[in-house]
Amino acid sequence: MNTLTTTTRIHSMHRQRLGWTRAFSVMAQLEWQGADLCMPMRWIAAAINPLVYLLFLGVGLSSTLDDPGYLRFLFPGLVVMQASAGISHIVARVVTERRWGLAAYKLQAGVPAGAYFLAMMVPGAVLYLFQVCVIIVAAFAVGLRLSVLAIVVIACVGLVAIWFWQCFGYCLTGLIKDYQTRNFVLSLLTLPLTFSAPVFYSFDSAPALLRAVALCNPLTYQVNVARATMSGSIDLVSIAVTAALTLIVTAVGVISTQRMRTLSFEG
């Protein structure tokens, strides 16, 4: 994203004293450009990840286990699992914003904290919805048939999940002060988050140690909600845990945005 263009637009916002809606629109456009969503290659890259998991790992395990129902079991978990990838983009963006004082500059220029916070979530949410569509098309291509209601409900659970993981990553950046730490944290989180949750395996049949680790992973509860909903049941415990954690990270994210008005990691 062109830094001069960004600075010019922020100065323009300051002069015009834009309202909340207009400020959100401008910030969302800046984040859209910052995430390279205007480039076709960005969308191609986003599509590859869910396709690899479903077509290679999912179909491969289904054949190995000789279980035609495995893909139906995998589908809701895979949809929700893609949301956890949102943490990478948001951490990369917000660390840069914090480190160089860009967030403070924008907020002092008149961008409302709520508009800034919400706009930061836009690219990740849009990419996630695109990935959900890719998974749905691929699932139908391999013979999985789902009702429209099931797809809509699971996608809604996924939207809650992408909001949680982006807010979690947003909050996490308050502890990350340089790019080396950022890279270390992301590499440390990605694989354990993905594979400790019961996406590819059944929680009930897992070893005790794996179940203990899974219970510490918020993704586990999100997967449980999606899977239970798809089967027509309600997992009240998982819903309560997911709702509580989402509210907590949202509140912390809003509070940390207010602190960005005066703080940066470069002094």
Side-chain angles (χ1 to χ4, degrees):
M1 180 170 54
N2 189 298
T3 304
L4 180 60
T5 301
T6 302
T7 304
T8 301
R9 297 185 73 171
I10 294 173
H11 275 306
S12 176
M13 292 170 65
H14 182 61
R15 290 195 304 269
Q16 298 176 22
R17 295 191 179 279
L18 302 179
W20 195 98
T21 303
R22 179 56 179 161
F24 167 75
S25 176
V26 172
M27 286 300 305
Q29 291 176 44
L30 291 174
E31 289 307 310
W32 185 276
Q33 295 171 10
D36 295 327
L37 296 187
C38 298
M39 301 176 61
M41 295 300 293
R42 184 72 176 89
W43 297 95
I44 295 173
I48 290 175
N49 187 273
L51 286 176
V52 167
Y53 277 121
L54 179 63
L55 299 182
F56 294 163
L57 189 55
V59 173
L61 286 173
S62 178
S63 300
T64 301
L65 297 172
D66 194 22
D67 182 2
Y70 181 75
L71 287 179
R72 179 172 291 274
F73 167 83
L74 174 64
F75 178 81
L78 188 58
V79 169
V80 175
M81 186 191 75
Q82 291 304 310
S84 64
I87 193 174
S88 298
H89 169 76
I90 200 73
V91 167
R93 283 291 299 126
V94 181
V95 165
T96 301
E97 293 272 309
R98 284 179 178 269
R99 182 173 185 184
W100 300 108
L102 297 175
Y105 180 60
K106 293 172 183 177
L107 294 168
Q108 290 174 6
V111 177
Y116 176 88
F117 178 67
L118 190 59
M120 295 296 290
M121 307 296 169
V122 169
V126 173
L127 277 176
Y128 173 69
L129 287 175
F130 170 71
Q131 289 180 315
V132 171
C133 292
V134 170
I135 295 172
I136 292 171
V137 172
F140 272 82
V142 296
L144 184 60
R145 297 295 177 261
L146 301 165
S147 68
V148 174
L149 179 60
I151 292 173
V152 171
V153 171
I154 292 172
C156 287
V157 175
L159 285 175
V160 173
I162 186 64
W163 176 264
F164 168 83
W165 287 111
Q166 290 202 106
C167 287
F168 177 76
Y170 190 97
C171 298
L172 194 62
T173 58
L175 304 174
I176 301 175
K177 298 186 178 182
D178 55 67
Y179 298 133
Q180 291 77 19
T181 305
R182 178 197 68 185
N183 295 338
F184 172 75
V185 169
L186 289 178
S187 63
L188 189 66
L189 285 177
T190 303
L191 287 178
L193 281 175
T194 300
F195 292 105
S196 66
V199 175
F200 298 98
Y201 67 89
S202 171
F203 180 85
D204 295 334
S205 61
L209 178 60
L210 182 54
R211 291 202 301 270
V213 174
L215 288 174
C216 299
N217 186 350
L219 184 59
T220 295
Y221 302 96
Q222 296 162 1
V223 170
N224 288 344
V225 172
R227 200 161 274 155
T229 302
M230 184 170 171
S231 64
S233 59
I234 298 177
D235 187 337
L236 292 177
V237 173
S238 293
I239 290 174
V241 172
T242 298
L245 292 177
T246 302
L247 289 174
I248 290 171
V249 294
T250 300
V252 174
V254 171
I255 293 170
S256 68
T257 303
Q258 295 290 351
R259 296 183 70 247
M260 286 184 197
R261 193 178 299 275
T262 56
L263 295 179
S264 76
F265 290 150
E266 291 296 316

